Amino acid sequence: MTVKQFFKSTAFKCVVTLLGILLVCGVFLTVMNGFLAVSDGERFDRAIQKIYGKSVETTEIDISGKETAFEYSDILEAYKVEDDGNYLVLAAGKEGFGGVVECWVVVKMANGEVAGVDKVSINKANGESYISKVSQGALDTLAQKADPLKELEGGYKHGVKEPGGDYVQTGASYSMRAISNAVNGAMEFVKSYVAGGNK
């Protein structure tokens, strides 16, 4: 086969067509990625809307250099909500079915001390195959059970397949354990921060 015959062949035409399709799809995906990208600020605003149902004024807490790693959770972000004096904490709870569940936790304050939890909202739950079974009602029940004086056990107990003392029936007990751990970490962080240990 000569070079001239190759350029006239069906195989060459197929290769050129496929390359053209790849080029058009690549350009389209690049353009759409720019249009559909969500900034960190937009993500935060969406979380606020989901939790409070309106915009609220917050002040970010600089968590660098503070104690943010706990045995069963890590603190990722923290804010003081100026509208009500509570704290909004993004915490990653460990020991879920697939690993970690990130939750926004509103830590309720009263007389300058942690009084419990007002609201819990799931931010991310990669690897949690049953997370869809955790309803907002179950999260609200878990928030009501949160007590700053004791560890919250809304799913299985640590390391075992046995219901905890604050068990909330969802069908996703491992995920609920991770969510409980996120709540515990958020309360622990705020208690330490308010007491001056994290300042």
Side-chain angles (χ1 to χ4, degrees):
M1 177 184 286
T2 65
V3 173
K4 192 173 186 179
Q5 287 173 327
F6 173 72
F7 285 126
K8 289 184 178 179
S9 71
T10 305
F12 177 73
K13 290 175 185 172
C14 288
V15 168
V16 168
T17 302
L18 287 173
L19 287 173
I21 290 170
L22 284 172
L23 181 65
V24 169
C25 288
V27 169
F28 176 75
L29 288 173
T30 302
V31 169
M32 291 311 293
N33 185 45
F35 283 129
L36 300 176
V38 179
S39 70
D40 291 340
E42 287 173 312
R43 268 193 205 94
F44 181 67
D45 289 342
R46 288 178 186 177
I48 291 285
Q49 280 292 335
K50 187 176 177 182
I51 292 166
Y52 281 93
K54 61 179 182 176
S55 292
V56 293
E57 187 181 338
T58 59
T59 303
E60 185 172 5
I61 297 169
D62 181 9
I63 63 172
S64 59
K66 295 176 175 55
E67 181 63 41
T68 58
F70 300 98
E71 186 175 5
Y72 298 111
S73 62
D74 293 309
I75 305 305
L76 307 175
E77 298 175 29
Y79 303 84
K80 180 161 189 193
V81 182
E82 303 298 341
D83 296 46
D84 57 15
N86 293 333
Y87 286 86
L88 178 62
V89 180
L90 179 59
K94 301 172 187 175
E95 291 193 304
F97 181 78
V100 171
V101 179
E102 286 184 17
C103 297
W104 286 104
V105 181
V106 178
V107 179
K108 199 168 25 178
M109 302 298 290
N111 301 317
E113 293 184 352
V114 173
V117 170
D118 192 41
K119 194 89 168 166
V120 179
S121 175
I122 297 169
N123 184 52
K124 262 191 222 172
N126 299 335
E128 300 299 303
S129 49
Y130 293 121
I131 200 70
S132 61
K133 294 185 175 193
V134 180
S135 66
Q136 188 57 53
L139 294 174
D140 291 343
T141 300
L142 192 69
Q144 290 169 3
K145 292 183 175 201
D147 183 340
L149 301 178
K150 70 178 190 69
E151 184 178 37
L152 180 65
E153 294 179 323
Y156 287 146
K157 293 179 180 179
H158 299 300
V160 294
K161 193 175 177 181
E162 183 181 319
D166 305 300
Y167 190 75
V168 178
Q169 179 66 45
T170 60
S173 300
Y174 290 103
S175 299
M176 287 299 280
R177 175 171 61 194
I179 294 166
S180 297
N181 289 337
V183 171
N184 289 328
M187 286 194 295
E188 195 62 39
F189 173 82
V190 174
K191 277 195 276 189
S192 182
Y193 179 78
V194 170
N198 263 334
K199 288 188 177 179

